[in-house]
Amino acid sequence: MTKFSKEPVVTMGIDLAKNSMHVYGVDAQGHPVLSKKVTGGKLSAFMANRPPCLVAMEACGSAHHWARVFRGFGHEVRLIAPQFVKPFVKSNKNDAVDAEAICEAVQRPNMRFVAVKTVEQQDIQALHRMRSLTVERRTAQVNQVRGLLLEYGIEIPQGRATLMRCLPEILEDAENGLSERFRAELNRLLEELRHLDAQVAHFDTQIQVIAQSDETAQRLMTIPGIGALIATALMAAVGEDVGLFRNGRALAAWLGLVPRQHSTGGRERLLGISKRGDVYLRQLIIHGARAVLRWVERP
């Protein structure tokens, strides 16, 4: 049985979940002080009654919300990426062991932390996530329409703009052999595509408004290849706490844009880009770079 110290809690690790959470705390010498299961509804009151201490959590769902709440109670909060916590998990995995691992990981001097997002950052990120899902749905719908028409011997070249131009003509052509039933369903898919176009346009407008009203976004947009989408996505992901990165290469490594390394015995071996970090943000930046390269050799 673990012997608990009677000293005050200095560092606390919390394993978050939807309903059941586990809290593990240690004193200044690293000796365990408490290990307790807390329901989600009582966690806020539990932390409000605790003296200020260092609180660590994995950067997972609801972590940024709880971080803001705990900071309001006077606690110092650190978020850690789950992959950096895993090496500290001992033996079998359960909530108590996970909370202990988080508590131990945050005490490492070279540990890397995730910046706590503000409500404004999460708003911007939510807009990007909703836009990204809508674009994926629209692309899937375009591909489905092209595939269905190909089964009827009607081929449409690739590209959403091409399909939106050709589809009304196909619907009006009475000699192409399409049945009335399929023609009606195809018309419904066309209306759905127009609705998805309107949704994407709405999200683009909202993102443009944010970019035009934010000084940081305006500075980012002076960089070739960076527009409103990339600028606001960077703001949402990084925020104002750029001190987490020592230099530009550190940010590039965080985005997964630097070579993956597999070196040993003094022999350096660099592979392709690591593809770590935010997949969506990296995709936007690569597309922005490609857009710049298209204009490099033009007069």
Side-chain angles (χ1 to χ4, degrees):
M1 179 179 290
T2 303
K3 185 177 180 181
F4 290 100
S5 169
K6 295 183 179 180
E7 297 295 319
V9 174
V10 174
T11 306
M12 185 181 297
I14 302 178
D15 181 53
L16 296 176
K18 292 181 180 179
N19 299 315
S20 177
M21 324 219 182
H22 201 95
V23 179
Y24 182 89
V26 299
D27 59 18
Q29 286 72 42
H31 300 143
V33 176
L34 68 88
S35 180
K36 183 176 182 178
K37 180 179 177 181
V38 182
T39 60
K42 297 181 180 179
L43 181 61
S44 181
F46 176 80
M47 295 301 295
N49 294 324
R50 305 293 308 182
C53 64
L54 173 62
V55 179
M57 298 174 287
E58 285 185 334
C60 58
S62 77
H64 293 280
H65 162 72
W66 285 116
R68 293 192 297 267
V69 171
F70 297 159
R71 281 183 173 180
F73 297 150
H75 299 289
E76 182 183 358
V77 182
R78 293 285 184 270
L79 299 182
I80 310 174
Q83 62 265 30
F84 295 147
V85 174
K86 188 175 181 181
F88 296 93
V89 176
K90 302 181 183 71
S91 186
N92 299 318
K93 182 186 184 304
N94 56 51
D95 292 346
V97 171
D98 287 346
E100 181 181 354
I102 295 169
C103 187
E104 186 172 345
V106 76
Q107 299 177 70
R108 300 302 95 198
N110 294 325
M111 181 54 62
R112 302 173 185 174
F113 301 109
V114 177
V116 178
K117 287 182 173 58
T118 64
V119 175
E120 290 75 17
Q121 284 178 268
Q122 286 193 287
D123 287 346
I124 297 173
Q125 194 172 61
L127 279 174
H128 277 274
R129 295 294 181 264
M130 288 185 283
R131 181 188 182 277
S132 177
L133 179 60
T134 305
V135 170
E136 288 179 10
R137 289 172 55 197
R138 184 178 64 179
T139 302
Q141 193 74 76
V142 167
N143 291 334
Q144 183 189 48
V145 171
R146 292 182 64 248
L148 290 172
L149 285 172
L150 192 60
E151 294 293 330
Y152 289 84
I154 301 175
E155 183 178 353
I156 299 180
Q158 291 185 359
R160 179 179 55 85
T162 304
L163 182 136
M164 296 300 289
R165 184 179 64 254
C166 295
L167 193 52
E169 299 175 359
I170 294 172
L171 289 171
E172 293 176 2
D173 186 2
E175 306 298 328
N176 53 21
L178 298 181
S179 66
E180 291 299 323
R181 175 178 295 173
F182 179 70
R183 202 181 295 270
E185 294 302 323
L186 203 59
N187 185 68
R188 186 181 61 82
L189 293 180
L190 176 59
E191 293 301 320
E192 186 175 342
L193 282 172
R194 288 169 176 166
H195 174 67
L196 292 173
D197 278 342
Q199 282 188 294
V200 173
H202 167 75
F203 292 132
D204 287 340
T205 301
Q206 296 297 316
I207 291 171
Q208 285 287 347
V209 169
I210 294 171
Q212 294 298 328
S213 60
D214 190 277
E215 183 180 350
T216 302
Q218 290 293 310
R219 290 200 302 269
L220 287 170
M221 289 167 64
T222 61
I223 303 173
I226 293 185
L229 274 177
I230 299 178
T232 53
L234 270 172
M235 287 168 48
V238 180
E240 300 294 333
D241 195 7
V242 294
L244 291 173
F245 306 103
R246 295 188 302 274
N247 47 43
R249 191 183 185 282
L251 175 60
W254 179 72
L255 290 171
L257 292 172
V258 299
R260 187 163 53 91
Q261 191 177 52
H262 188 79
S263 304
T264 183
R267 297 178 61 184
E268 291 190 1
R269 184 186 179 193
L270 300 180
L271 309 175
I273 63 174
S274 65
K275 296 184 180 180
R276 295 177 179 176
D278 193 324
V279 176
Y280 173 75
L281 182 55
R282 182 174 62 251
Q283 177 187 17
L284 290 180
I285 291 176
I286 290 175
H287 284 324
R290 286 173 174 168
V292 172
L293 290 175
R294 289 178 59 190
W295 294 89
V296 167
E297 297 180 357
R298 298 190 181 186

